[in-house]
Amino acid sequence: MERTGQADGLIKSSGCGPFQVLMVLFVDVIIKIGLVYSIVFMAFGNYNPGWRCLDQNTSALYNYSMSLFQNSSGDLIKNNTISSESTQDNDTTEYTTEGSCGLFEACQNIQFNPETSTIVTEWGLTCQKSWILSLIISIQMAGVLVGSLISGQLGDTFGRKRILYIALALLGALSLATMFATHWQVFAVLRFFIGAMIACLYNLNNILTQEYLSPIWRTRLAASPAWPFGGMLLGVAGMMCKDWKTLHLIVGVYCIISCIPALWVPESLRWLEVKHKSKDFQKAAKTIVTINKLPQMLENYDSSYLENLEKSQDKPNTRVYTMFDLFRKGYRLYTVVLSFLWFSPALSYYAINFGVQSMYGDFYVNLLVLFAADIPYAVFPMHLPYCIGRKKASILFTSLTATTLLAAASVSMWAPTHIRNTAIVILALAAKVNITSSLSCFFILATEIYPTVVRSNAIGYFNSMARVGGTVAPLLIPTDSKEIPLCYGIMGAMALTCSLLMIKIPETNGTNLKQFFDED
């Protein structure tokens, strides 16, 4: 028998009123914009705007070395240097990466393009130091991994709301502190803790909001355009100020201001119920029915359920649930399969995002388009998990991901030169849209498969698997056109594997959220 608790009835009866709208706005959308802005910052931070050598004996080499240059054959060359002499004769003369780095290392007076300030220009992280950029990304994603592991347990033990807003305030403080980093090592350490706070926010803001919504609205929340808006905000802010310290100032102030709704946002009604916190349960229930203008609903619960909940404190459920409960009999296979389903698309997602500077075209335009491409998902595909089911929608999106990634790998090898670069960008954008869609479906599945007592642990664990993918992602970021077939081919094969593994996952469309395991 399915144990859902009385909180489920109260939430269903309240429908999708003003309270749910405010929760989605202040807890999901506003917070998610800030965390996305923070997590994808390195897409801007590792951008190399170009440099030139001002040594007297290299006066001919005054032209900025662009981080991305297209030669006459259509290949993508990174960190090329073009001399003023050669550009007068032939604008498409190809210079090797080794040649430009040789000049960089020999030059005594390097000047980076003053129009843009990134961590590359701040600490000269190019050529022999370019590996530091991938290291910082991996360190940040390691922080996200750690945050995912601990936030689940903290959320299930101390409540979703409390940990959520503590993490939000710390993210704001850490972002402001990062502005004063004097060495890249200090910056990397701060990004680790920023990553941990991002994980806490991502896990708990989704859960807190989802636990107040009915099944159909849970699918629509998963398709919220807050994620692409956060990335687009970074693109617009980066285009306007072009300064990494100012970008941290913006997100720091934004996060601190976003803490204000904590004054009225209630704790999860489902969590309060399983923890037998009757007074807090009644307070949260009053907030819901007051905002939704349904006072008669609370009267019914005051006379029956709240009284029983109060009495149940004589025999409280003292069982402490951990991530090990995710591997219980009956859930073990689901946990193993979902682990890969979260790992694979996250790896591809971050490999595409952090590799934006290697794409053909203008860096800022690509950054904006990369996230704007996710918005169409909020218009049509978001309804698919409800109309055709979570399982079929997941298979559809993972299959489309595999198709577009493998097509990009094929195009990079065999397409004519004049259409190759544009085709790869379009296919990469299409793959990213389907990756975002599949991740949204996987989140809904994890939320609906696991009961309230371990839901936060479940989302935290699966997010940690996704962050493992993000940590590995720098290994699959193409550094030149010759690596695209291999990198995109591997990601495409992994997406195809996800489609096949979905056979083992049950359909959860229309089901109630369980409070406990059936055998408890």
Side-chain angles (χ1 to χ4, degrees):
M1 180 178 173
E2 209 174 68
R3 298 174 61 188
T4 58
Q6 294 297 317
D8 192 71
L10 179 60
I11 292 168
K12 281 187 175 181
S13 300
S14 65
C16 184
F19 171 80
Q20 282 78 8
V21 173
L22 290 174
M23 285 290 291
V24 170
L25 176 62
F26 289 107
V27 179
D28 183 76
V29 175
I30 290 180
I31 292 179
K32 192 171 289 182
I33 287 175
L35 73 89
V36 175
Y37 179 107
S38 297
I39 198 170
V40 299
F41 164 79
M42 285 302 296
F44 173 87
N46 66 3
Y47 173 54
N48 182 357
W51 55 270
R52 63 182 178 180
C53 178
L54 299 182
D55 287 357
Q56 294 298 318
N57 60 347
T58 56
S59 58
L61 301 175
Y62 273 16
N63 281 49
Y64 281 108
S65 167
M66 305 308 294
S67 60
L68 181 65
F69 178 75
Q70 181 185 15
N71 63 20
S72 57
S73 65
D75 290 330
L76 302 180
I77 308 297
K78 297 184 68 177
N79 293 331
N80 287 287
T81 302
I82 304 172
S83 72
S84 57
E85 294 179 351
S86 65
T87 53
Q88 291 173 0
D89 298 330
N90 186 356
D91 287 342
T92 60
T93 301
E94 177 182 340
Y95 285 78
T96 65
T97 301
E98 290 76 12
S100 65
C101 285
L103 171 62
F104 184 89
E105 299 299 331
C107 184
Q108 300 297 314
N109 189 10
I110 293 290
Q111 182 189 62
F112 282 94
N113 188 337
E115 293 183 358
T116 302
S117 175
T118 67
I119 65 171
V120 174
T121 66
E122 185 75 16
W123 295 298
L125 305 182
T126 187
C127 293
Q128 292 187 5
K129 292 183 178 180
S130 60
W131 61 271
I132 295 175
L133 299 173
S134 294
L135 176 64
I136 293 175
I137 292 176
S138 294
I139 289 174
Q140 172 184 292
M141 299 311 296
V144 178
L145 171 61
V146 172
S148 297
L149 291 171
I150 64 174
S151 63
Q153 189 65 58
L154 291 174
D156 279 339
T157 304
F158 300 105
R160 285 71 157 119
K161 174 189 172 180
R162 182 180 304 174
I163 304 303
L164 174 71
Y165 281 102
I166 289 175
L168 184 59
L170 287 175
L171 177 59
L174 288 167
S175 297
L176 295 176
T178 304
M179 296 171 54
F180 303 99
T182 54
H183 303 283
W184 71 262
Q185 294 91 337
V186 176
F187 178 87
V189 171
L190 289 169
R191 292 304 301 183
F192 174 87
F193 289 105
I194 285 176
M197 296 306 105
I198 289 171
C200 290
L201 293 175
Y202 182 75
N203 293 348
L204 298 175
N205 92 308
N206 277 298
I207 294 174
L208 180 57
T209 312
Q210 291 270 11
E211 289 182 340
Y212 273 110
L213 299 176
S214 58
I216 184 174
W217 291 104
R218 289 199 292 267
T219 63
R220 293 173 180 175
L221 176 66
S224 165
W227 190 278
F229 283 158
M232 292 174 65
L233 176 62
L234 174 66
V236 172
M239 186 180 296
M240 294 179 63
C241 66
K242 299 183 179 181
D243 178 70
W244 69 274
K245 292 184 178 180
T246 304
L247 293 180
H248 277 89
L249 174 63
I250 292 172
V251 73
V253 173
Y254 179 92
C255 289
I256 292 174
I257 294 176
S258 298
C259 290
I260 295 177
L263 298 174
W264 70 267
V265 170
E267 180 55 85
S268 166
L269 207 62
R270 299 177 189 275
W271 182 84
L272 292 172
E273 182 181 40
V274 299
K275 293 298 181 180
H276 297 169
K277 296 182 178 294
S278 59
K279 292 182 180 179
D280 292 331
F281 182 97
Q282 184 173 6
K283 183 179 178 180
K286 283 183 177 179
T287 301
I288 298 174
V289 299
T290 299
I291 296 177
N292 284 352
K293 298 180 180 180
L294 299 170
Q296 72 282 358
M297 188 184 304
L298 186 60
E299 293 175 2
N300 296 333
Y301 283 89
D302 280 341
S303 60
S304 58
Y305 180 65
L306 290 177
E307 181 180 350
N308 295 332
L309 184 62
E310 187 73 40
K311 292 179 180 179
S312 70
Q313 290 189 354
D314 296 333
K315 296 180 180 180
N317 183 4
T318 57
R319 168 71 190 276
V320 177
Y321 294 87
T322 67
M323 287 186 182
F324 293 107
D325 288 292
L326 305 180
F327 294 89
R328 283 188 175 198
K329 183 179 180 181
Y331 287 85
R332 192 175 300 126
L333 178 62
Y334 302 154
T335 301
V336 172
V337 172
L338 283 169
S339 296
F340 185 80
L341 293 179
W342 284 61
F343 167 83
S344 175
L347 185 153
S348 302
Y349 181 88
Y350 288 111
I352 294 174
N353 276 344
F354 292 139
V356 63
Q357 68 167 342
S358 65
M359 288 186 177
Y360 172 75
D362 181 78
F363 167 77
Y364 295 104
V365 173
N366 284 342
L367 188 61
L368 279 171
V369 172
L370 197 63
F371 287 97
D374 288 337
I375 294 180
Y377 173 67
V379 178
F380 171 68
M382 74 171 186
H383 297 286
L384 287 180
Y386 181 76
C387 297
I388 67 174
R390 283 74 157 122
K391 185 173 181 176
K392 290 181 180 178
S394 298
I395 294 174
L396 173 63
F397 290 133
T398 50
S399 299
L400 290 174
T401 300
T403 301
T404 49
L405 288 172
L406 293 175
S410 301
V411 165
S412 65
M413 291 188 293
W414 297 306
T417 300
H418 65 282
I419 66 170
R420 182 187 307 160
N421 295 324
T422 302
I424 291 174
V425 172
I426 292 174
L427 288 169
L429 292 175
K432 183 174 175 292
V433 171
N434 290 299
I435 289 170
T436 303
S437 303
S438 60
L439 281 170
S440 296
C441 291
F442 298 156
F443 183 90
I444 298 171
L445 285 166
T447 299
E448 295 177 340
I449 287 175
Y450 297 91
T452 300
V453 289
V454 294
R455 187 170 297 122
S456 182
N457 266 308
I459 299 302
Y461 170 76
F462 293 127
N463 263 308
S464 70
M465 294 298 99
R467 304 322 147 194
V468 171
T471 304
V472 178
L475 299 177
L476 287 181
I477 297 177
T479 57
D480 58 50
S481 60
K482 295 179 180 179
E483 295 181 3
I484 291 178
L486 177 62
C487 294
Y488 279 66
I490 292 174
M491 292 188 287
M494 293 175 68
L496 185 59
T497 303
C498 288
S499 298
L500 299 175
L501 288 176
M502 274 303 304
I503 298 173
K504 297 295 184 180
I505 300 299
E507 179 58 73
T508 61
N509 191 16
T511 59
N512 295 322
L513 294 183
K514 292 183 179 181
Q515 295 289 65
F516 302 93
F517 289 102
D518 291 337
E519 61 270 25
D520 287 352

